[in-house]
Amino acid sequence: MLRILIAIDGSALALDALHHALELMRRGDLRATLVLGHVQEEATLLELATQGADAVARASVEAAEHLLAPALALAQAARVPYETEVGLGPVAATLVDMVERCGCDALFIGARGLGGLRGALLGSVSQQLIHSSPVPVTVVKHSEPAPLDEMGEEGSDDLADDGGAADAGSADGAGAD
C-alpha cells in the first residue's frame, strides 16, 4: 500500500491537501496510509537560555499536538489508515527527511498559489520540496469559495475543477506557488 506524507502546519491550506487525499481515497482512486507530518522550528538560543530545554521541548510537543488535532479529527472521521510524525528543523529539509525515514511514496502539501515574482521571491516551502523531494510532490492550491451568482447561490457544479491539485511531476509544474 502507498504511504503519503501530508504536510500539516495547522493551516487551512494544509487541510486542503488532506481533504484532497481523503477525496481520492473516498472515490477509490487511491489506497494509502497517510502520514500526517508536522515540523516544529528549532528553539532559539534565547528561548533555551530563558525557558530551559525541558520547557521548550514540552511547549514544542504541545504545539505540535494542537496543530495536528484538526487533521487527526478528519482522518479519524474518514476512517483511513494514518500515523503521525513530528520533526524539528527547517521545514522543507525536515519534510524530505520524514519522507525518507517513513518510506513515503508521495508528498502532498497545501499552497497559497502565489505565482510569478512574488512566489519566486518568497522561496516557498512547496517550491523547495518540488526541487528536493525524492518522491512526487502534489501541491494542492487553496480552494476559494465559489462565487455567488445573481440569485445568491453558489456557482454551478459544471464549473467545478479537480479540487485545485497540481502534480509537481507534470511537465510544466503548473499550479505550484
Side-chain angles (χ1 to χ4, degrees):
M1 186 180 307
L2 291 175
R3 294 175 56 79
I4 299 174
L5 178 67
I6 311 286
I8 302 294
D9 65 1
S11 71
L13 303 171
L15 292 180
D16 287 342
L18 177 55
H19 280 289
H20 180 65
L22 293 173
E23 176 61 18
L24 292 173
M25 294 174 81
R26 184 193 66 75
R27 290 189 331 215
D29 297 338
L30 180 67
R31 286 183 36 143
T33 295
L34 303 180
V35 179
L36 306 175
H38 174 73
V39 177
Q40 287 281 309
E41 293 186 36
E42 296 181 85
T44 65
L45 289 176
L46 179 61
E47 290 171 325
L48 291 172
T50 59
Q51 298 175 21
D54 290 341
V56 170
R58 275 192 306 277
S60 182
V61 168
E62 288 174 11
E65 289 172 351
H66 173 74
L67 294 171
L68 280 167
L72 292 173
L74 284 171
Q76 290 167 351
R79 298 179 184 201
V80 299
Y82 74 91
E83 54 194 67
T84 60
E85 187 73 23
V86 176
L88 181 66
V91 177
T94 304
L95 287 170
V96 168
D97 289 344
M98 267 185 211
V99 162
E100 293 171 342
R101 187 174 60 252
C102 296
C104 293
D105 304 291
L107 189 154
F108 286 15
I109 186 168
R112 288 186 304 270
L114 297 175
L117 184 59
R118 187 166 178 214
L121 291 176
L122 292 176
S124 72
V125 171
S126 57
Q127 286 182 11
Q128 292 173 33
L129 288 168
I130 288 168
H131 295 290
S132 62
S133 175
V135 299
V137 175
T138 298
V139 178
V140 181
K141 193 171 174 182
H142 184 59
S143 303
E144 295 297 327
L148 298 178
D149 66 13
E150 294 172 5
M151 301 292 289
E153 298 176 6
E154 288 189 17
S156 74
D157 291 336
D158 305 57
L159 301 177
D161 62 12
D162 67 350
D167 189 350
S170 66
D172 63 358
D177 67 340

